[in-house]
């Protein structure tokens, strides 16, 4: 049971982890993108359409990334260059994509494409206990592992990451140094949207193998919440994402084993459990990026 729970936590939590890493980058640059859910929906549907059209799930994944990036670029253009309200614009983008994906996805409801499936890492997948949990997963899960390290390194060890963090803290100083903070925010938000699109296409193409309306089920909003409660730290954002995956797996295992638990309570369990634990771990949180606070307060 424990191995099933932990393996499910990794597999399901990756659908939260990918947009959470994207939102982490975005918020460190001083922008909150509530349109993350819309970018995930765009990635999920586009991935299915491309996968069915070409017969290649990997082309579907790539198309999903581009779709998520395009949605985030639209949001970033409005917020960064036109000065619109961040929260309102994010919600509008979500509503827009919810409607568009529901309309254009109707003919794809029920159509199935072979999911990417799992890849066992030779040697490592045979290790006792951890082998089946960490090394017998989808290739996108392994990409998620790499992205955890990559985002951490980018933000803490690279000059690009320094510019992103400085833009989130002191955009005027960044501008005085000869850089363009608004362009940095635009590009970082677009990159974050690409990771959200990857999360959506992983869900539709990599796990489920089909499309259904609103299939992301609020995962984008959970990703935004995970980043905030994790205090903009990569390690805690990772913990929060996999925790949510564990809660979903636990709820599904209760159902599969015939426990007489109210269905609505089971549906709420992952969100409730994640919220409680993130509140606990955020007790030692650090301050939000100043530009993020200023932008939200100004609106």
């Amino acid at each position: 049971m424990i191995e099933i729970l932990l393996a499910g936590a990794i597999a399901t939590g990756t659908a939260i982890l990918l947009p959470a890493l994207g939102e982490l980058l975005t918020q460190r640059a001083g922008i909150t993108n509530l349109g993350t859910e819309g970018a995930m929906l765009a990635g999920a549907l586009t991935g299915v359409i491309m996968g069915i059209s070409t017969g290649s799930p990997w082309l579907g994944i790539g198309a999903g990334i581009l779709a998520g990036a395009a949605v985030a670029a639209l949001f970033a253009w409005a917020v960064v260059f036109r000065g619109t309200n961040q929260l309102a614009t994010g919600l509008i983008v979500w509503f827009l994509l919810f409607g568009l994906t529901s309309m254009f996805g109707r003919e794809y409801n029920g159509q199935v494409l072979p999911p990417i499936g799992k890849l066992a890492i030779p040697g490592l997948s045979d290790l006792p206990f951890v082998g089946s949990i960490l090394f017998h997963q989808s290739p996108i899960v392994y990409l998620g592992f790499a992205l955890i390290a990559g985002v951490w390194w980018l933000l803490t060890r690279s000059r690009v990451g320094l510019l992103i963090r400085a833009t989130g803290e002191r955009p005027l100083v960044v501008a005085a140094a000869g850089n363009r903070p608004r362009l940095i925010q635009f590009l970082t938000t677009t990159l974050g949207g690409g990771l959200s699109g990857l999360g959506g296409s992983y869900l539709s193409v990599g796990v489920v193998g089909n499309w259904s309306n609103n299939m992301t089920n609020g995962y984008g909003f959970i990703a935004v919440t995970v980043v905030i409660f994790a205090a903009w730290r990569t390690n805690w954002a990772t913990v929060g994402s996999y925790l949510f995956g564990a809660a979903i797996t636990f709820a599904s295992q209760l159902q599969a084993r015939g426990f007489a638990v109210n269905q609505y309570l089971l549906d709420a369990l992952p969100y409730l459990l994640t919220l409680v634990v993130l509140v606990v771990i955020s007790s030692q949180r650090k301050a939000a990026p100043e530009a993020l606070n200023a932008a939200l307060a100004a609106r």
Side-chain angles (χ1 to χ4, degrees):
M1 173 66 175
I2 188 65
E3 288 188 38
I4 295 175
L5 180 62
L6 292 177
I10 299 296
T12 306
T14 298
I16 301 293
L17 173 70
L18 297 171
L21 292 175
E23 182 64 15
L24 176 62
L25 290 170
T26 301
Q27 291 195 22
R28 291 306 294 265
I31 302 291
T32 295
N33 184 6
L34 291 185
T36 296
E37 178 79 359
M40 288 191 74
L41 284 170
L45 177 58
T46 304
V48 167
I49 293 174
M50 180 62 75
I52 290 175
S53 301
T54 64
S56 170
W58 288 108
L59 287 178
I61 293 290
I65 295 172
L66 294 177
V71 170
L74 174 64
F75 164 84
W77 172 80
V79 168
V80 175
F81 294 119
R82 306 305 299 173
T84 61
N85 182 291
Q86 290 186 22
L87 302 184
T89 304
L91 290 175
I92 289 170
V93 167
W94 167 52
F95 279 122
L96 174 64
L97 268 297
F98 177 77
L100 289 176
T101 54
S102 296
M103 179 176 66
F104 290 108
R106 283 183 299 179
E107 62 180 289
Y108 292 95
N109 283 326
Q111 293 195 41
V112 178
L113 72 159
I116 290 177
K118 297 182 178 181
L119 174 65
I121 304 297
L124 295 178
S125 61
D126 297 325
L127 292 173
F129 190 68
V130 297
S132 60
I133 296 171
L134 296 176
F135 304 114
H136 191 211
Q137 296 278 2
S138 165
I140 306 299
V141 171
Y142 303 136
L143 176 59
F145 295 160
L147 285 170
I148 294 168
V151 168
W152 174 83
W153 180 87
L154 176 68
L155 286 174
T156 62
R157 295 293 185 270
S158 72
R159 184 177 183 276
V160 172
L162 177 62
L163 283 175
I164 291 173
R165 290 185 286 114
T167 299
E169 296 287 350
R170 297 285 193 277
L172 293 180
V173 174
V174 174
N179 297 294
R180 300 171 62 185
R182 292 202 296 177
L183 180 61
I184 292 170
Q185 288 181 325
F186 177 83
L187 293 177
T188 304
T189 303
T190 301
L191 174 61
L195 290 178
S196 298
L198 174 60
S201 57
Y202 163 72
L203 190 63
S204 63
V205 178
V207 177
V208 181
N210 60 44
W211 161 261
S212 61
N213 288 342
N214 197 31
M215 71 178 304
T216 53
N217 200 30
Y219 284 13
F221 293 111
I222 289 293
V224 175
T225 305
V226 162
V227 171
I228 295 172
F229 278 105
W232 302 274
R233 291 172 292 191
T234 307
N235 56 343
W236 285 117
T238 301
V239 170
S241 300
Y242 289 146
L243 171 69
F244 186 82
I248 292 179
T249 304
F250 180 67
S252 64
Q253 285 297 310
L254 286 180
Q255 282 183 301
R257 294 169 187 269
F259 284 87
V261 183
N262 185 280
Q263 177 62 47
Y264 296 106
L265 178 60
L266 285 179
D267 291 339
L269 180 63
Y271 302 91
L272 178 62
L273 208 59
T274 303
L275 178 62
V276 169
V277 175
L278 286 176
V279 167
V280 172
I281 67 175
S282 67
S283 60
Q284 298 180 344
R285 62 190 299 170
K286 58 183 180 180
E290 278 197 26
L292 183 62
N293 280 334
L296 295 179
R299 303 298 177 183

